[in-house]
Amino acid sequence: MKPIAAFIKKEILELIRTGRLLILTILFILFGIMNPAIAKLTPWLMKMMSESLSETGLILTEININAMTSWTQFYKNIPIALLIFLLLVSSTLTSEYQKGTLINIITKGLARWKIFISKTLVIFLLWTIEFWLCFWITYGYNNYFWDNKIASHLFFSAFCYYLAGIWFISLLFLMSALFQTNSIVLLISGAVFLLFYFASFFSDIKKYLPVTLLNSSYLLAGNNNISEYSFAIIFTLLLLIINIGVGIIIFNKREIK
Amino acid sequence: MDILTLAQVSKSFGNHKVIENLSFSVPEHTIFGFIGQNGAGKTTTMKIILGLQKCDSGSIFVNGKPVHFGQNQTNKYIGYLPDVPEFYDFMTPLEYLKLCGNITEMSKDKLQQRIQQLLELVGLTSVNKPIRGFSRGMKQRLGIAQALLNHPKLLICDEPTSALDPIGRKEILDILVNIKQETTILFSTHILSDVERICDRIALLHNGKIAFCKSLEEIKSLHKNTQIEIEFFRTEDANLFAKKYKKTQPINNTKLLCEQQQENDIVTIMDVLVQNNLSIQRLEILEPSLETMFMEVICK
Amino acid sequence: MNIHELLPFLIPLILAEFILLAFTLHHILTHKNYKHGNRILWLIITIIGMQFIGPILYFLLGKEDN
């Protein structure tokens, strides 16, 4: 356990000293605040717009702002935050290949799977912290101004999205075990995502795909059934284990130059 | 006992054979010089020993245990200094060595002690800034400390002096000589003077094969036929001497080269010089250098 | 709409943005080499897009991998 702990400590130190932790934390805080802020500003924006619109004959009726408006914003913005997160952490293995920093560590006798697992765990942990930080900030504001009870399955739908994020990270790690440079890792991971995305157009396999979890916000309105997502969750967990497992096998057999 | 043994190791990249049926062994407590031109396959050989690259055929034993590509338990016995060592540059030397120590599961007290000892050896005790700002020489010295951390039985150094200035080179060579009692050193280079300075045994790698593998004394004694070079002041003197003493070859107008077949040849030469009253600038016995041997093999 | 209603958003937003901006500017000014672009370009981008786009772009495209 000691070698893994030491390497995890190094990874965390790297996140702190390179400023990546700070940037991501501020970013997710900003996103967390912005969701209710935009919701709160909506009537005011509408009023501004309706003044100009009324001249053309369109009349906007008074709109109702509540926690749902804010949660809709949350699911609208979180993909951007996830994308930035993935871009910022994607080079965690490839930058070590490029710089050759793993050579010393491997020649010291640290088993390769320990390197791979430590890195994966740290990025999982980072996503966990950042995602739920963003979630709880929005949740707090929503509770203060409105009432969160209006949204059903709030935690379950957030968990679905969170799990999809974890799957994305595992995909990046699998590709990092396979390829040498960051741009290729991002490109191929993007291609795999598109593949899943197009596959989700076919309704018979849609319920199994991780990308389905990204649409979990439909649950908030209360018109979906939780059990519809259970296949996607099980299948995503399965893919997650496969990604990490295959990643380790490939990483073990990699030539490190 | 041999700490490292390679038997019939081959490796090719595509059609290009980098090393072919390479076999040699390194006895304990020696400094083993591994020389060859750039691209001769030195680095590849080392990376195969370390399990970083896969060999196509053959077997390698470190401390009597076989090397397996990928999962390499024999790395416990090895300390490795790459040609350009790369570190996590956001860390300080102390933090980096602690990381390395914890990876190899050294106990806390032992590690603390060893780190102090090594930082002193490489002269980095008072350096407490991130590795980011280090010079090449400092990185190389930290590389040695890192490689020696867990008392390796075999220290592998890949061109440790090639990128350094003369002072940096001397520092590294001195450190290597100092640790000879503790460990065995396999040391690759293309700088022959470094090899002559510190190595006990030498292997020359050429076209993926070992051209020769001998101790430094053996190499020196190989060439019994040393040569004597004489430099005169005037061309006439040189010509006259060439007429009197038959076995000479002219190098230029004032310089002559004589083959030394017997030990007392030099006395004969001096005798000829005295009898003909010839003054000379210089009389020198040319020792066969590693360079001449190197050139002989490479230019064949 | 009055300003008091917006204060719970504005104060943390502005605070977070300023920390991000200050950190980014500090990083740009203390580093000489960038993956792409140069110092002036990154200063301009960071200040124009200072809400968060500028700093994020810098850390994605400008910050060198040491």
Side-chain angles (χ1 to χ4, degrees), chain A residues 239-251:
Chain A
L239 280 177
L240 183 72
I241 293 164
I242 291 173
N243 281 352
I244 301 298
V246 174
I248 287 174
I249 292 168
I250 295 170
F251 188 67

Side-chain angles (χ1 to χ4, degrees), chain A residues 2 17 96 99 108 252, chain B residues 71 86 88 106 146:
Chain A
K2 201 171 162 191
R17 296 230 175 126
E96 296 226 24
K99 283 185 265 175
K108 281 252 129 12
N252 275 344
Chain B
Q71 292 310 310
E86 292 295 344
Y88 297 117
M106 283 173 87
Q146 162 272 131

